[in-house]
Amino acid sequence: MRACLQFVNKEPGFEKMPRAPDRAFSCLKLRSCFMENHAFWDHLPLLMRANSKDSVESILQALWRTRTTGLDAAGRGIIRDMLQLQNDSELDPLLVCLRMLIRKCVYENTSKEDIHKLFPSEVLPELQRLLTLLLQKFQREWREDVLKDQATLPRLKAMTWNMSTSSTETPEPVAVINLRLQNDVKFRYDDSEVKFQLDRDTLDSMLRSMHSVAEQLSETDDPLNGQIPLENPV
């Protein structure tokens, strides 16, 4: 593996690349630049400065852990030392390239067998093999992390209600609604409860809105995209 990770001189034009900040995975502008500009691949050979496969693996893991926050100064310093880089102008384009590569591998449903196809022919074969092996190693684990991170709406499991008075000052009756919600997110199956009260006017408004929802669900097209106006929002 050390033979695979020997030092590779800077590619032609490397120093001309614009500085691209190390950002979270949601930066669409950087992603577009990555997809359209093959010069980004020119920064991958910097990984060959690492002294072992484990070093490259730790870099990928660090990028995944900081996928929503970006690397802090300490993390960037560690990677610079690993790759014997002098400043961030060399480091940043490499990090952007790796983040976009990880994103394509994890978020775009790339099969394990097709990960090697993410690399264009100009990427060194030994570097392709190394990154392919590491991405294959962590793909399943990272996909599971994505599922854990996803905010999935719960389902209504049960509803109960009873009559009550809103306060001693206004003794008008109100309906107290108790909803039991079920979370169906993978790795997390639990229930939660939501309780609220409705007076008659609010209930009438809610029923009119729910009727509109029922009509929308019965149609094939949803021109309002689920946005039903409430005269008196609950």
Side-chain angles (χ1 to χ4, degrees):
M1 183 55 61
R2 283 182 176 273
C4 169
L5 294 169
Q6 291 176 349
F7 173 80
V8 173
N9 287 328
K10 196 162 24 177
E11 295 291 313
F14 180 89
E15 67 281 1
K16 299 178 183 178
M17 283 297 298
R19 176 170 179 172
D22 170 33
R23 298 185 185 276
F25 279 149
S26 59
C27 186
L28 297 179
K29 184 176 181 181
L30 288 179
R31 182 184 176 192
S32 175
C33 183
F34 171 81
M35 295 297 294
E36 297 174 2
N37 190 347
H38 275 211
F40 264 89
W41 295 106
D42 293 344
H43 302 282
L44 282 182
L46 288 174
L47 290 174
M48 309 291 275
R49 297 186 179 189
N51 59 13
S52 68
K53 172 187 172 183
D54 290 342
S55 296
V56 178
E57 181 176 314
S58 67
I59 291 173
L60 294 181
Q61 288 181 305
L63 291 178
W64 181 251
R65 287 194 303 269
T66 60
R67 60 191 178 277
T68 60
T69 61
L71 284 166
D72 59 18
R76 296 167 69 83
I78 291 172
I79 295 178
R80 277 199 310 270
D81 291 343
M82 283 183 179
L83 302 179
Q84 308 167 46
L85 301 178
Q86 298 300 316
N87 51 61
D88 286 345
S89 64
E90 292 182 302
L91 177 66
D92 286 336
L94 172 63
L95 297 183
V96 171
C97 185
L98 290 175
R99 284 195 186 279
M100 295 304 105
L101 184 60
I102 292 172
R103 182 183 181 91
K104 289 182 65 64
C105 175
V106 177
Y107 289 84
E108 298 189 10
N109 203 28
T110 304
S111 68
K112 243 180 188 181
E113 295 74 21
D114 289 338
I115 289 178
H116 72 279
K117 297 179 182 179
L118 298 176
F119 302 93
S121 58
E122 57 262 32
V123 177
L124 296 172
E126 58 268 33
L127 191 53
Q128 289 190 44
R129 287 192 293 270
L130 172 62
L131 289 174
T132 297
L133 287 173
L134 291 175
L135 290 172
Q136 288 175 337
K137 176 179 179 179
F138 292 110
Q139 186 186 47
R140 181 175 180 180
E141 175 186 336
W142 289 347
R143 280 182 173 172
E144 289 177 353
D145 288 341
V146 171
L147 289 175
K148 294 177 186 178
D149 293 342
Q150 287 178 344
T152 303
L153 295 176
R155 293 188 300 109
L156 177 62
K157 186 175 182 180
M159 182 182 79
T160 58
W161 65 277
N162 63 284
M163 299 297 295
S164 179
T165 54
S166 56
S167 68
T168 56
E169 291 79 11
T170 56
E172 296 181 0
V174 296
V176 178
I177 311 296
N178 187 62
L179 305 179
R180 181 176 292 276
L181 307 176
Q182 178 174 315
N183 289 302
D184 290 332
V185 182
K186 191 176 181 181
F187 310 107
R188 179 185 173 188
Y189 300 96
D190 56 3
D191 293 347
S192 58
E193 290 190 1
V194 176
K195 184 178 291 188
F196 57 92
Q197 66 179 32
L198 298 172
D199 59 26
R200 181 167 182 172
D201 290 340
T202 304
L203 180 59
D204 287 342
S205 178
M206 178 179 175
L207 290 175
R208 288 194 297 270
S209 298
M210 297 304 292
H211 180 70
S212 297
V213 171
E215 290 181 343
Q216 293 285 335
L217 290 175
S218 65
E219 298 175 358
T220 55
D221 297 324
D222 184 3
L224 292 179
N225 193 26
Q227 298 180 7
I228 309 299
L230 288 176
E231 295 180 11
N232 185 15
V234 176

